[in-house]
Amino acid sequence: MTYEIPVTQARAELADLINRVVYGGERVVVTRHGKPLVALVSAADLERLESEPEQAEDSVVSSVSSVGSITSAPGERRRFGIAAEYRGEHGGGVNATETPHN
């Protein structure tokens, strides 16, 4: 089970969150403004994730995706000056573009 908590609340409840992760088997996602920042997992989970890098990456992506979806508004890439886009293993690599400087 994944538990989501804002970073300000996580600071105040760190000891409790650690207990939930270690003894309750939970995974805790710490958020800022509703967006996932970090996840707390047990050392056993981390060891398992590191031993299975490909599977771990897919698991992390699906876990974070299930917490909340983030969509881009039209023109947002240009607005924030994003200069590169990752297109996956078989999607052509990184596409770098020039961005206007405001």
Side-chain angles (χ1 to χ4, degrees):
M1 181 175 139
T2 302
Y3 175 71
E4 188 175 325
I5 186 170
V7 69
T8 53
Q9 186 178 349
R11 282 187 195 118
E13 300 178 19
L14 184 58
D16 182 52
L17 294 174
I18 291 170
N19 287 334
R20 290 177 78 150
V21 168
V22 174
Y23 302 112
E26 293 184 49
R27 292 178 179 171
V28 176
V29 175
V30 180
T31 62
R32 179 177 290 143
H33 305 295
K35 296 178 184 178
L37 288 178
V38 298
L40 302 175
V41 297
S42 68
D45 271 353
L46 179 61
E47 186 176 314
R48 182 183 53 79
L49 291 171
E50 288 179 339
S51 69
E52 303 167 5
E54 290 271 329
Q55 185 179 1
E57 184 176 319
D58 294 341
S59 176
V60 169
V61 169
S62 67
S63 293
V64 170
S65 296
S66 70
V67 170
S69 62
I70 301 170
T71 58
S72 295
E76 187 172 333
R77 290 182 185 279
R78 208 172 330 105
R79 179 175 160 219
F80 291 106
I82 297 173
E85 177 182 24
Y86 179 71
R87 295 189 179 179
E89 279 184 41
H90 305 291
V94 173
N95 179 28
T97 59
E98 282 191 34
T99 57
H101 296 287
N102 296 6

